[in-house]
Amino acid sequence: MKFGILIFSFLLAFTAASHSQTAFNGVDNDGFIGVYDINDQHYWWLCVEPNGSPAPIAGDGFLGDALSLTDAWTRQNTERNDYYTTSPDALAAQAALGKQINIMEYVLDTYLPIATLTTPGALLEGSENAGHYGNNETFYNSMFAVQNFLAEVYGKPTHTDFTDLGDFADRWSGDLSEAGLARSSLFQSILLDVADKDGLGFFASYDVVNDYYIANTLFPEGDAFNYQDALIIVAPVPEPGGALLIGCFGLAVMLRRWRKLS
């Protein structure tokens, strides 16, 4: 187990043993990606519940439990949980789930390469400030392109044929800024890669490389307590004594609102 993952697992286990829930404190975000403070460590997150659910701002937060990506993906709100369990499409959605998880894990492993994104200098001073998220930088471009892919999978619960991804919307289509062009190009590269590999049967099985967790609020979509789900990726900081967490997809939580005490 990698050092960063070991630290993260220990923190979650310690919190669970002490309080049964984990506190997720807002640091900054733009609705698509952001940063949580968890046990005084900062974690990058990616939005995987793209339905308008809010993310906590600085000074605000929530309590929750941790679930795996597989366990959390179907229960990001009560409506989604019902869709996967009692709706007329439940069986089709359940049948599609395994392949979708394999594909999302592959995209995360491949297009957010932890060893690359955490090398010294890759994250500049002040990079957590949402005012910088629009910069044309490899880190932000990768985070946004992968988040866009995950959000598109979220909206297609019965999707099984990934050789045809014409219904996956490119958020930067028509955006001629440097960052927009770079993110659109990377997103299209992800679509082509996934389509090619699906045609070869690559996703019938996939051995995930890194650990992923989802921060999930199991409340109705419009409920004030239904905070935005976040996928979390754990990576070692290139300096001794710390851990950098990049994320928006894997800690799943059944939550009540929690405001950080100053």
Side-chain angles (χ1 to χ4, degrees), residues 25 37-42 260:
N25 304 316
D37 182 292
I38 307 170
N39 289 318
D40 295 323
Q41 297 282 349
H42 282 193
K260 185 178 178 183

Side-chain angles (χ1 to χ4, degrees), residues 149-229:
F149 184 85
L150 298 172
E152 288 299 306
V153 176
Y154 175 95
K156 301 168 179 62
T158 61
H159 204 301
T160 57
D161 181 6
F162 283 79
T163 63
D164 182 3
L165 297 176
D167 57 345
F168 273 50
D170 183 342
R171 188 181 302 144
W172 302 278
S173 178
D175 183 345
L176 301 182
S177 67
E178 289 185 356
L181 291 171
R183 293 170 190 186
S184 178
S185 177
L186 179 56
F187 181 70
Q188 292 300 326
S189 295
I190 293 173
L191 297 186
L192 289 172
D193 184 22
V194 169
D196 287 345
K197 284 185 168 56
D198 191 34
L200 300 173
F202 179 82
F203 299 113
S205 63
Y206 178 72
D207 292 327
V208 63
V209 175
N210 299 299
D211 284 355
Y212 304 103
Y213 304 87
I214 287 184
N216 169 270
T217 57
L218 189 58
F219 288 93
E221 285 189 3
D223 194 292
F225 297 147
N226 184 48
Y227 279 105
Q228 185 182 93
D229 283 20

Side-chain angles (χ1 to χ4, degrees), residues 33-174:
I33 71 172
V35 178
Y36 282 155
D37 182 292
I38 307 170
N39 289 318
D40 295 323
Q41 297 282 349
H42 282 193
Y43 294 67
W44 283 95
W45 57 258
L46 305 174
C47 167
V48 290
E49 188 184 359
N51 58 17
S53 300
I57 60 176
D60 196 10
F62 56 84
L63 295 176
D65 303 317
L67 295 179
S68 70
L69 171 58
T70 300
D71 292 338
W73 188 251
T74 64
R75 44 176 286 153
Q76 292 149 323
N77 50 67
T78 55
E79 289 91 339
R80 187 168 176 85
N81 185 63
D82 291 344
Y83 181 89
Y84 274 91
T85 56
T86 61
S87 77
D89 295 325
L91 291 179
Q94 291 170 12
L97 184 61
K99 182 178 182 179
Q100 290 185 355
I101 295 295
N102 287 346
I103 289 173
M104 289 189 289
E105 290 176 337
Y106 167 77
V107 169
L108 286 163
D109 284 343
T110 305
Y111 292 95
L112 284 181
I114 290 176
T116 299
L117 293 179
T118 59
T119 51
L123 293 179
L124 303 177
E125 183 72 25
S127 63
E128 297 180 357
N129 185 327
H132 299 300
Y133 293 178
N135 293 353
N136 181 28
E137 297 176 17
T138 298
F139 175 78
Y140 296 129
N141 295 344
S142 297
M143 290 279 282
F144 278 104
V146 170
Q147 186 278 327
N148 191 179
F149 184 85
L150 298 172
E152 288 299 306
V153 176
Y154 175 95
K156 301 168 179 62
T158 61
H159 204 301
T160 57
D161 181 6
F162 283 79
T163 63
D164 182 3
L165 297 176
D167 57 345
F168 273 50
D170 183 342
R171 188 181 302 144
W172 302 278
S173 178

